[in-house]
Amino acid sequence: MSSNDITSVLKEDRSFPPPSAFQQRALIGSMEEYDRLWTYAAEQPERFWAEQATTCLNWFKRWDRVLDWQLPHAKWFTGGKLNVSYNCLDRHLLTWRRNKAAIIWEGEPGDRRVLTYNDLHHEVCRAANMLKKQGIGSGDRVTIYMPLVPELAISMLACARIGAVHNVVFGGFSSEAIADRNRDSQARLIITADGGWRRGAIVPLKANVDAAMAKSPSVERVIVLKRTGWEVPMQAGRDLWWHDEMATVSANCQAEELDSEHPLFLLYTSGSTGKPKGILHTTAGYLLHATLTSQVVLDLKDDDTYWCTADVGWITGHSYVVYGPLANGATTVMYEGAPNFPDWGRLWEIIERNKVSVFYTAPTAIRACAREGSKWPKQRDLTSLRLLGSVGEPINPEAWMWYRDTIGGGRCPIIDTWWQTETGGMMITPLPGAMATVPGSATRPFFGVVPDIIDASGNSVPRGKGGFLVIRQPWPGMLRTIWGDDERYKTQYWSQAPGVYFTGDGARQDAAGNYWILGRIDDVINVAGHRLSTMEVESALVSHPSVAEAAVVGAPHELKGEGLHAFVLLEGSHRPSDSLMRDLMDHVVRQIGALARPESVRFAQALPKTRSGKIMRRLLRDIAAGRASVGDTTSLEDFSVLATLRANEDV
Ligand code: WTA
């Protein structure tokens, strides 16, 4: 791909200054203050971050050195000792917050629970002892495959308390995906549930784990939370009930004193090549980034009720449902189910009833709600809201304006936050009390984040021109490596241009200095805000006995942002049919999960390739975008003529 491909057609001149009432209460209340601090952090990052680490976190032992940077490996706060669970819980018990609501939870069927910081601390200590009883200790990997229930956060914090490394697997992933992650991380234990509720049905989480177990030799124990009451088989000697085990252990458990760079969690995400990679985040730097951005960007105050709708199976749920809010002693809302169950009013009802003041969601949810019309939000009193956020994919100005007017009543700033699993926390985002927001722009870099936009030869491009988004300096929340594959870490992120972190996104900076994210420039596709690699879906297709070769591309989708479109070449005796098409779609769902179901599968006689044998994805993308409907899928498409015509083009 050449950087000429990155063009931006968007023209946007609306701009909304921060409301003055908001500005007065915000930590950073003016552009001058933002500029001063950003420059300070860019010029003296070690001083800036040492100050923040002192005020944001509690330490058992202070660090010796702020940053040890041996490109491309960073170590932050070396010599320091702390514990993430202590920072999220114990330190609040010493204050009036001990009986403040930490988690306000709502199940899809309508059941509700509120856990105070004191309650949560008890549960986490017991869960930590439960893990210890099974022989889990510092550095052991624990897979967590659960519905969005408080026990998910409790499990993560319990791991953090004893130094075990959690790997949360999104509940929408299939048994194959669980097994892959178990094998790669060499997990010793899985925490799951008998099921979870989604659109009125039970997601068979335990059954998926059972199916994964045959291919997960490292896993010794499965702890099962009773969530739905659905009967599940329990294998003696291997499977244990959460409630039985929790009843046998005490609620006293000291938080381990862990090194700053102790591994905190793995989270698998798609890259442009091969299998999903285990992104490694460590203790101090990650927590500092999540904590500070929650204060400055989400503007969390003690009287806020905050709700981030992300599933905890994604990085947004890690940083901004669990760790960032809890480290700040905030009240975080968790909702188990679908936004449209029992109807499209569910989100707004939850906001009204809990008087949610800060709301953080994804463009795909905003677009889906906008399509259902304003009548749902209009039935509810949303005046408790004061700040709205968006994350996961570019938000189109139309959806942005609907969000602002219909949900925010025209009074709430919108923070469009750009970041990645790899970055740990927000990187480019408005500070809502300091800067004017512009529909579709993520605006400015956060403190300590030094972005640049470069061309294919690594030179910075002038303002207004599109290019590759890179980050020029290490920051505390950055990933440390790819689990078990440091070479891949180096090539994937640090080899495209010397000395800089390569994000995989295209971007442009406008004349005013605001950043516009233009989307992925590699083979990663953002489907409803979920990252998938075309390669992953292609290899799932090729693992089907009828498929000889497959190419998968993304094309614009009204609600999901992008959808997946597959082109397949069949093995000798197989013939195209509608039933085979459906079978292939189901096969992808079995291999990866429902989020990867292709919008269309087309049968081809040949795939268009360049002379060097690379699939001409651009051509396929045009075809996929031009014909969104599946149409006559049984005919074979012959790309050979087109392929010859375009044989000299780039991929
Ligand atoms: C995209 C999610 C535009 C981007 C936190 C990035 C965005 C990928 C935005 C990371 C945004 C995320 N505007 N694009 N505000 N936020 N992206 O790892 O392509 O699931 O590289 O992390 O999502 O997705 P991930």
Side-chain angles (χ1 to χ4, degrees), residues 152-184:
L152 170 51
I154 291 166
S155 300
M156 294 161 74
L157 289 160
C159 288
R161 199 161 186 87
I162 62 174
V165 183
H166 60 70
N167 170 27
V168 181
V169 178
F170 171 55
F173 278 124
S174 68
S175 55
E176 289 291 331
I178 306 169
D180 281 348
R181 287 155 176 75
N182 285 340
R183 271 200 309 274
D184 190 76

Side-chain angles (χ1 to χ4, degrees), residues 269 314-316 360 363 390-395 416-423 428 440 442 503-505 517-520 524 526 529-531:
T269 190
W314 308 112
I315 190 69
T316 307
Y360 189 30
S390 168
V391 61
E393 49 184 311
I395 177 164
D416 172 5
T417 62
W418 175 85
W419 57 293
Q420 309 177 298
T421 305
E422 291 87 342
T423 70
I428 301 184
T503 65
D505 278 310
I517 308 297
L518 306 172
R520 301 288 309 195
V524 174
N526 248 312
H530 303 152
R531 263 168 78 165

Side-chain angles (χ1 to χ4, degrees), residues 232-310:
V232 292
M234 296 289 281
Q235 185 175 310
R238 187 195 77 184
D239 299 353
L240 304 163
W241 284 110
W242 171 286
H243 56 269
D244 288 343
E245 293 306 304
M246 288 285 272
T248 66
V249 290
S250 94
N252 291 320
C253 177
Q254 280 283 319
E256 292 284 328
E257 301 194 3
L258 300 170
D259 288 338
S260 294
E261 284 295 336
H262 188 83
L264 177 63
F265 66 85
L266 296 177
L267 188 59
Y268 283 78
T269 190
S270 300
S272 52
T273 53
K275 290 249 175 227
K277 46 199 179 178
I279 302 299
L280 175 68
H281 283 290
T282 59
T283 298
Y286 169 80
L287 185 64
L288 179 58
H289 192 165
T291 307
L292 184 66
T293 45
S294 297
Q295 281 170 20
V296 175
V297 185
L298 295 172
D299 194 44
L300 294 184
K301 302 270 194 289
D302 259 322
D303 54 1
D304 276 314
T305 301
Y306 160 71
W307 184 19
C308 167
T309 65

Side-chain angles (χ1 to χ4, degrees), residues 107-355:
E108 194 185 76
D111 40 345
R112 286 175 208 145
R113 283 162 68 192
V114 177
L115 282 87
T116 64
Y117 274 94
N118 203 22
D119 297 335
L120 190 59
H121 178 258
H122 269 264
E123 295 297 304
V124 169
C125 287
R126 286 169 62 202
N129 284 332
M130 168 174 79
L131 292 174
K132 280 195 200 164
K133 194 178 149 197
Q134 297 308 321
I136 298 298
S138 188
D140 286 334
R141 271 82 63 204
V142 173
T143 299
I144 302 178
Y145 182 67
M146 294 180 96
L148 213 71
V149 291
E151 283 76 7
L152 170 51
I154 291 166
S155 300
M156 294 161 74
L157 289 160
C159 288
R161 199 161 186 87
I162 62 174
V165 183
H166 60 70
N167 170 27
V168 181
V169 178
F170 171 55
F173 278 124
S174 68
S175 55
E176 289 291 331
I178 306 169
D180 281 348
R181 287 155 176 75
N182 285 340
R183 271 200 309 274
D184 190 76
S185 65
Q186 290 290 296
R188 291 188 58 197
L189 184 143
I190 302 186
I191 308 177
T192 187
D194 56 357
W197 291 102
R198 188 88 192 163
R199 290 202 181 85
I202 292 174
V203 183
L205 299 171
K206 173 65 162 62
N208 291 346
V209 167
D210 287 340
M213 284 303 282
K215 295 181 185 168
S216 308
S218 62
V219 178
E220 299 153 30
R221 290 278 180 282
V222 181
I223 296 181
V224 187
L225 176 79
K226 193 169 268 190
R227 160 68 188 125
T228 61
W230 205 33
E231 204 163 317
V232 292
M234 296 289 281
Q235 185 175 310
R238 187 195 77 184
D239 299 353
L240 304 163
W241 284 110
W242 171 286
H243 56 269
D244 288 343
E245 293 306 304
M246 288 285 272
T248 66
V249 290
S250 94
N252 291 320
C253 177
Q254 280 283 319
E256 292 284 328
E257 301 194 3
L258 300 170
D259 288 338
S260 294
E261 284 295 336
H262 188 83
L264 177 63
F265 66 85
L266 296 177
L267 188 59
Y268 283 78
T269 190
S270 300
S272 52
T273 53
K275 290 249 175 227
K277 46 199 179 178
I279 302 299
L280 175 68
H281 283 290
T282 59
T283 298
Y286 169 80
L287 185 64
L288 179 58
H289 192 165
T291 307
L292 184 66
T293 45
S294 297
Q295 281 170 20
V296 175
V297 185
L298 295 172
D299 194 44
L300 294 184
K301 302 270 194 289
D302 259 322
D303 54 1
D304 276 314
T305 301
Y306 160 71
W307 184 19
C308 167
T309 65
D311 193 283
V312 176
W314 308 112
I315 190 69
T316 307
H318 283 61
S319 303
Y320 300 112
V321 176
V322 179
Y323 290 122
L326 295 179
N328 283 297
T331 297
T332 179
V333 175
M334 283 173 84
Y335 165 58
E336 176 188 30
N340 58 347
F341 188 86
D343 57 41
W344 282 98
R346 189 66 184 262
L347 300 181
W348 323 124
E349 189 228 334
I350 294 175
I351 291 176
E352 180 186 64
R353 185 157 25 77
N354 294 292
K355 303 204 166 31

